[in-house]
Amino acid sequence: MRTHSRCLWVETSHLLTGCILLLSLVLVGCVAQPPAPTSTPTKALGAVTLATSTPTPGPTAIPVPTTPTRVPVKGGALVYGLSFEPTTSLDPHIGSSFDAQVMIMNVFDTLVVQDERGFHPGLAESWEIAPDELSYTFKLRKGVKFHDGTPFNAEAAKFSFDRIADPALKSQQATALLGPYKSCEVLDGYTIRVNFKEPYGPFLDALSQTWLAMVSPTAVKKWGPDFGLHLVGTGPFMFKEWVRKDHLTLVRNPDYNWASPIFKHQGPAYLESITFKFIPEEAARVGTLETGEIQVAEDMPYREITRFEADPRYKMFLNPIPGQPHVLMLNVSKEPTNELAVRQALNYGIDQEVIVKSFFYGAVTPAHNVLSAASWAYDKSVESTYKNDLNKAKELLEKARWRVGPGGFREKDGKRLTIVLNTMPFNRYPEVLQIVQSQWNRLGVDTRLTVMPTYYAFLSAAQRNEHNAMPLFQPAMDPNVLSTNYHSRNNMNYGWTKSANAELDQLLDEGTHTIDKEKRKQIYAKVQQIIMKEAMIVPLWEAYQITGARAEAKDLRFDPRGWYPLLYDVYIQK
């Protein structure tokens, strides 16, 4: 591709030079005809060779411009401003932070790659699903090496699968994505068969996520539990350093030559390095983007969208995110949210329009479901399940014998109606949930909002069942994300509703074990209806990733989940 472009440039340059020369001769001919020009040897200009002609000197000769246009060099160093610093392991097989994937997805390759058109080869050149749908056979790409020189082959792929499935690893997300995994067989040096106990519909989608990426067996054995600080994959960038509370740096893998066909080029990445700067302060991210200290800033303020869109020095990305939108997950196992009436009242007591207008300047829309409207399995019929209705909310609480007591808070059997609302210090949750707190307090609900200092503290509190409500959004292409969050077997991971609904579990299992997409859509419609009817969540707003980039950061785009930047094709052009 690049050689073709280069030839086109040379041909165009010859044509342009010839046209200028012809025009010059026509103009000169109107005055007097000079002697015919004499050719000179070709003249090398950098990597491009151009033929030049010099007219014999004469009184009416007009010089012909010969200055060539420079071919832009694709390269540079990218500085990417993040609103967080990961606090859990960067090991893709262990960690659960979605934000951390923004960085480490550049270090690791997956067997399968996904874009808006579907699934494409990654480290696997091709795959077949067995007639009984219980196994997938993958033909692996040859000539691939990990950053430490370890060859990627069938044995290395089996190592990654077996590592994730090992309970001793205590995987937080990858093991859930493996579903009913049974085993991985090596059929030959570059062929594996992945076996399942039951058919597993979301497997290709799961394989396209960094949690199921291939890791170096050599590096894992060398570093053991510290592999998360010494990441070694096959990706276009290599891990260099992680300076706490400041940045994480990746450098170009000079040997990379196995990019997926979804990208625009082959060979090493254009960027020499990527530095992810941790800039939790919103104003600081905006300021450093404007000064050019960073070229990309995630989680841009919604109030700044219009200003940056109108400025040609920048490009704004407003990416709707499929999966689970921003919701409050209600703990159905803990008083008082173990009561359906209380959970329903909390839904009727929320005015999402106030939230959207107050914090998002009308740039986003309220959520009304457990799945994002950008998800392919979205069931529109559940949108009308709850509308803001204070009278309805109060009526439900009265019928459930929650009476207004001293101080305006409701009580029953000597206990106050208290909601423990824990949150994380990002995604605007602390500010937004102050509005939620105020709206619920108007119902007579004593809402106690606690901002956890780190994501780890937030997750630990959920695992210890110390909450009534917690916010969560989760980017995902496949509706199986609902199984991750609402199946009872996942209650110690992202199952923060602590649900034990047998019908829901059965439907989630059915959706997981069905391959046909239309059948899955029907199943997940029922799942959404149950979750909303049982008021397991309070929908807040649809998730968007708002990213600002300077114009010199070329070819920046995002994967279909809307959250993760694809940086392999990116280059800096001043």
Side-chain angles (χ1 to χ4, degrees):
M1 180 72 73
R2 286 177 293 167
T3 302
H4 173 74
S5 300
R6 187 179 186 183
C7 292
L8 181 60
W9 192 97
V10 174
E11 292 166 4
T12 304
S13 299
H14 284 307
L15 180 60
L16 179 60
T17 302
C19 290
I20 293 173
L21 178 58
L22 178 59
L23 178 60
S24 302
L25 294 176
V26 170
L27 292 174
V28 171
C30 295
V31 181
Q33 292 295 334
T38 58
S39 297
T40 61
T42 59
K43 180 181 179 181
L45 295 172
V48 180
T49 302
L50 297 176
T52 63
S53 295
T54 304
T56 301
T60 58
I62 299 175
V64 178
T66 58
T67 303
T69 302
R70 284 196 170 188
V71 177
V73 176
K74 294 183 176 181
L78 181 73
V79 184
Y80 200 116
L82 299 180
S83 60
F84 73 99
E85 177 174 10
T87 54
T88 58
S89 176
L90 292 179
D91 186 332
H93 295 171
I94 296 178
S96 61
S97 170
F98 287 87
D99 295 319
Q101 305 301 303
V102 172
M103 297 179 290
I104 67 174
M105 68 180 292
N106 301 282
V107 176
F108 299 96
D109 285 324
T110 53
L111 292 183
V112 174
V113 177
Q114 184 175 187
D115 68 4
E116 294 80 1
R117 299 167 296 167
F119 300 103
H120 306 273
L123 291 180
E125 291 183 333
S126 63
W127 53 89
E128 293 181 356
I129 304 176
D132 62 4
E133 301 180 340
L134 290 176
S135 65
Y136 291 67
T137 300
F138 296 91
K139 294 289 186 180
L140 305 180
R141 189 183 297 270
K142 297 178 181 179
V144 176
K145 289 187 177 182
F146 290 97
H147 302 153
D148 59 4
T150 302
F152 170 72
N153 51 30
E155 289 291 348
K158 174 178 168 57
F159 176 88
S160 284
F161 281 112
D162 290 348
R163 180 176 187 250
I164 295 168
D166 185 354
L169 187 67
K170 298 182 179 179
S171 170
Q172 299 170 8
Q173 179 69 7
T175 185
L177 289 175
L178 268 187
Y181 173 82
K182 181 180 179 181
S183 65
C184 178
E185 299 177 74
V186 173
L187 302 185
D188 62 40
Y190 289 92
T191 308
I192 60 169
R193 180 186 295 135
V194 180
N195 302 304
F196 293 95
K197 301 170 186 174
E198 299 174 274
Y200 184 39
F203 184 49
L204 292 180
D205 177 79
L207 275 185
S208 71
Q209 301 181 51
T210 306
W211 284 292
L212 298 190
M214 301 292 101
V215 301
S216 165
T218 303
V220 168
K221 293 171 184 176
K222 176 180 179 179
W223 296 106
D226 291 331
F227 177 73
L229 299 175
H230 303 274
L231 305 175
V232 179
T234 65
F237 292 92
M238 303 182 293
F239 180 83
K240 179 182 178 182
E241 64 179 4
W242 179 8
V243 178
R244 303 286 181 149
K245 299 184 179 180
D246 191 76
H247 70 272
L248 183 145
T249 299
L250 309 177
V251 295
R252 179 168 54 201
N253 176 6
D255 300 322
Y256 195 75
N257 195 34
W258 43 84
S260 168
I262 73 165
F263 294 105
K264 296 181 179 181
H265 82 285
Q266 280 294 335
Y270 294 136
L271 293 170
E272 298 167 10
S273 66
I274 307 171
T275 298
F276 294 96
K277 289 283 292 183
F278 309 133
I279 312 175
E281 299 81 12
E282 190 175 81
R285 284 197 306 281
V286 174
T288 52
L289 182 66
E290 290 182 299
T291 61
E293 295 173 64
I294 64 176
Q295 288 80 44
V296 183
E298 73 161 15
D299 202 18
M300 289 283 284
Y302 286 81
R303 65 179 179 275
E304 299 282 13
I305 291 176
T306 302
R307 179 169 74 91
F308 277 88
E309 281 185 329
D311 192 328
R313 296 175 299 170
Y314 305 97
K315 184 175 181 179
M316 293 295 290
F317 298 84
L318 283 70
N319 303 322
I321 300 177
Q324 177 167 294
H326 292 276
V327 308
L328 288 173
M329 300 182 73
L330 302 179
N331 188 343
V332 303
S333 71
K334 184 179 178 68
E335 296 181 349
T337 45
N338 62 330
E339 297 184 34
L340 176 61
V342 171
R343 300 196 302 272
Q344 290 176 331
L346 294 178
N347 270 279
Y348 284 115
I350 287 288
D351 190 341
Q352 296 137 319
E353 291 291 345
V354 170
I355 293 174
V356 167
K357 292 177 181 178
S358 298
F359 285 94
F360 305 111
Y361 296 82
V364 303
T365 57
H368 299 290
N369 194 357
V370 68
L371 270 185
S372 166
S375 301
W376 61 262
Y378 183 76
D379 180 17
K380 192 175 178 63
S381 72
V382 304
E383 288 183 353
S384 59
T385 306
Y386 302 102
K387 299 291 185 182
N388 178 237
D389 188 336
L390 260 62
N391 291 331
K392 178 71 172 178
K394 292 176 180 179
E395 179 184 339
L396 284 166
L397 293 174
E398 287 290 333
K399 287 183 178 179
R401 297 187 300 109
W402 288 102
R403 315 296 186 194
V404 177
F409 292 114
R410 295 181 180 272
E411 296 180 350
K412 181 168 69 173
D413 300 331
K415 294 182 179 180
R416 177 178 286 192
L417 182 55
T418 301
I419 298 295
V420 177
L421 175 55
N422 295 335
T423 188
M424 298 174 275
F426 42 85
N427 288 334
R428 293 179 176 80
Y429 287 147
E431 297 84 4
V432 171
L433 295 185
Q434 287 180 29
I435 292 183
V436 172
Q437 181 183 38
S438 174
Q439 292 179 348
W440 283 352
N441 284 349
R442 285 187 301 170
L443 299 176
V445 178
D446 183 10
T447 308
R448 300 181 181 180
L449 176 62
T450 301
V451 180
M452 299 291 182
T454 65
Y455 176 77
Y456 178 76
F458 175 78
L459 182 61
S460 296
Q463 292 172 339
R464 294 193 300 269
N465 208 34
E466 296 176 351
H467 68 286
N468 292 111
M470 297 180 70
L472 179 68
F473 97 96
Q474 205 162 5
M477 288 293 289
D478 196 277
N480 192 56
V481 66
L482 298 180
S483 184
T484 302
N485 294 348
Y486 300 97
H487 197 292
S488 61
R489 67 169 169 261
N490 295 324
N491 283 349
M492 287 304 291
N493 291 317
Y494 282 108
W496 298 341
T497 66
K498 308 297 181 182
S499 169
N501 186 307
E503 181 186 6
L504 182 60
D505 281 356
Q506 181 178 351
L507 283 169
L508 290 170
D509 285 339
E510 189 177 345
T512 299
H513 304 319
T514 300
I515 304 295
D516 183 86
K517 187 173 182 178
E518 285 304 312
K519 291 181 180 178
R520 297 185 74 215
K521 189 173 183 178
Q522 296 171 16
I523 294 167
Y524 285 111
K526 296 177 183 177
V527 169
Q528 293 164 70
Q529 292 161 16
I530 290 175
I531 291 173
M532 295 306 297
K533 180 181 178 182
E534 292 296 316
M536 295 180 177
I537 65 164
V538 177
L540 296 175
W541 73 94
E542 291 285 352
Y544 287 77
Q545 175 56 278
I546 312 299
T547 302
R550 295 184 66 85
E552 60 260 30
K554 304 297 184 181
D555 279 353
L556 174 64
R557 59 193 177 108
F558 292 79
D559 85 340
R561 295 173 182 88
W563 188 254
Y564 303 118
L566 303 176
L567 301 178
Y568 171 66
D569 286 325
V570 172
Y571 61 97
I572 303 299
Q573 185 178 76
K574 296 292 187 180

